[in-house]
Amino acid sequence: MDRFSFVICVSPSETLNRQKFTGSIVFYHAHHATTDKPGQFGARHTWEEAVPEFKQNAYLGYVVTGLSLAIIGVVFYVSVFGVFSDSYLRVGMLLAGGLLIILSSLGRTSGLLDKALLCAVAIALSLSVYQYFRAAEEIETGLYFLTPTDIWMGFLGLFAVIELTRRSVGLVMAVVASILLAYGAFGHLAPGFLRHAGISSEELMTVLWYSFDGVFGRPMATVVSTILIFIVFGSLLELLAIDRVLVQLAMAATGRMRSGPAAAATVASGLFGTISGSAVANVVGTGVITIPLIKKRGFSPRFAAAVESAASSGGQITPPIMGAVAFIMADVTNVPYLTICAAAAVPALLYYGGLFVAISSAARNMDLAEEPRPKISFNWRELVQIGIFVLSLAGIVVTMVGGSSPAYAGFVGVALAAVLGFAVRPDLLTDGQAWLRFIRSAGLISAQLVVIVGAVGIVIGVLNLTGVGLRFASLLSGLAEDQMILSLILMAIACLLLGMGMPTVPAYLIIVLVMGPSLQKLGVPIVHTHMFVLYFGVLSAITPPVALAAFAAAPIAGSSPMPTALEASRLALPGFVIPFAFVYQPALLLGTGFHWAESVQAILFVLLATILISRACYPRRGKGYMVPVGLALAVALIFFGPTISWIATVAGIGLMYFDRLDLTIQDQTS
């Protein structure tokens, strides 16, 4: 799949039309199709009914289930008792995850050549892991010199990681890792500033495979010790059908608005984003419900798909999980996790606020169908499910505030959701089909995430060995000649290019390693630097020409992908400006050492700028002059000192007041 996110729920008829997206493989199931009526939950199901790809080979299905259970068991153990061994945990999880992906792929493929390749990858991965453990004790003492066999086995391991990455998240990430690996081996032949001094095969393999600086480096450690428990948490919420209730809640909250389902899609994607790890996961998870409703309201298919893809991308910047990036960012920056969440909270709210304004402005210019307002009611069970979602997230935050590790906090969230959820839905305890899908989804998504960060480790290891990332940052700094705004624009463009086609975690890690030092050279604080990089890495999901989120939403809506991506970028335009506010209005990020009065002022300026930009994207008919005026005021609010910003604040409020007054007069005379 294009993501390391949670398995998506769609109906069987919808599944048939959307088995693959560009650069990704998305796994679907029909969970919701069997959960609409309480009486349907108690039925028993066979393995073949639960996982149809293993219908011809049940034994293979049993092995996949067992391996998934083993991964989940290790995740629970580590969350409660801590890491038992760095080597066995990191390397063992890569082996288990890789074999799980291979076995799952064998269940879906029928070609002999593909099966042969999968078997070759399994053998390569197993041999390379065996060779790692054979030499592990000597390697840890630093008294071991790699033999030619060690080197070849290391290359086999890297080949296996790259091929498994291709199968998990598509070609882009696999190509990036392959190019960097080739660069590490042959970069001494490259021209210009790209040339490095040369790295021997022994040194390359020592770093990339036989140490904690490459495949098994810090990203792998963070994932296996901290993040995987949250993958299980998300799969559990899906098992309890809480994600569907969140969509209902969004529809109920926005039912009276003119933009109706479009606003609901924004709310639902924001709520779903708190547990999801991917923009595409958000698109499919909520879009299959909201996009048809948006179209029914009278919006064009392109606009419906654009709303969903723009809203879903925002889930990756929404605390507390932020597409799993929050934990990695805390580890990389040595900044507490709760500080990261506090810093991310206001910008995320501003992003979604900007979407609301843009959608409302667009709806004002459209001849929308007069549909009756939806009457959505919640039974007691659904209300309790909403409460379970809130209590579980609250339990995670409270546990971390109390000083516990993020992994243990994730375990507390899982325990709360499980105890309360099964108390409300005891029938799920005997639903074999649901349990099989839960086990496979949690296991497979965990496996894919482990493999992805293994590929990221190849990139990070080569960049550290060659120093090309620092040289690239110095080149950008030289081009900008210490001009902050030009440096930021160049880095924003580079982040969008580097992030295209990649999931959130690898995009963030690669971009921050390459681009981060350049920003910090200009005096930007570390949290602000990482947040700047993260935003543009996330927004690459809706930026042409790749725009994975838009390519996922377009088939659901029946629109063309590229116009959808352009429309989504237009809707999310404030999101491209908010990261610049991190630098010019640094107090916007709470918890980063600024006085509360400065934070309030920064929030006011950026909030008003966001509204003006969103309204300028969709001006009222006959009010085209509002576009340059609104954008000019937004620039004055963010990029200049407090004096000019306060003048722009007064002008902006006045502009919106007179625009509202004019609209009221028109409504009264019409």
Side-chain angles (χ1 to χ4, degrees), residues 10-20 28:
V10 296
S11 69
S13 61
E14 291 161 338
T15 303
L16 296 176
N17 295 324
R18 291 186 305 281
Q19 288 296 328
K20 290 187 179 182
Y28 295 96

Side-chain angles (χ1 to χ4, degrees), residues 332-333 460 463-464 467-478 480 482 484 487-488 491 494-495 498 507-534:
V332 171
T333 61
I460 292 175
L463 290 177
N464 286 337
V468 69
L470 292 174
R471 291 203 297 275
F472 186 62
S474 299
L475 177 65
L476 279 182
S477 298
D482 294 331
M484 179 73 78
S487 295
L488 292 174
M491 272 178 279
C495 289
L498 288 172
Y508 160 72
L509 284 170
I510 293 172
I511 294 167
V512 83
L513 188 68
V514 176
M515 309 302 303
S518 186
L519 267 183
Q520 289 180 259
K521 270 185 172 182
L522 299 174
V524 180
I526 187 168
V527 174
H528 298 68
T529 295
H530 283 248
M531 290 292 291
F532 183 94
V533 166
L534 172 63

Side-chain angles (χ1 to χ4, degrees), residues 564-587:
T564 297
L566 292 171
E567 190 74 39
S569 299
R570 181 183 178 188
L571 276 167
L573 185 61
F576 292 89
V577 179
I578 288 172
F580 289 90
F582 300 160
V583 178
Y584 288 91
Q585 302 287 344

Side-chain angles (χ1 to χ4, degrees), residues 608 612 629 633 645-658:
L608 189 55
L612 289 169
V629 173
L633 288 174
S645 295
W646 277 113
I647 294 172
T649 298
V650 174
I653 293 174
L655 181 70
M656 289 190 294
Y657 173 78
F658 285 112

Side-chain angles (χ1 to χ4, degrees), residues 2 44 222 225 236 284 388 398 439 450 507 526:
D2 95 304
R44 296 182 178 274
T222 303
S225 64
L236 177 63
V284 185
I388 292 170
V398 169
I439 292 167
V450 169
I526 187 168

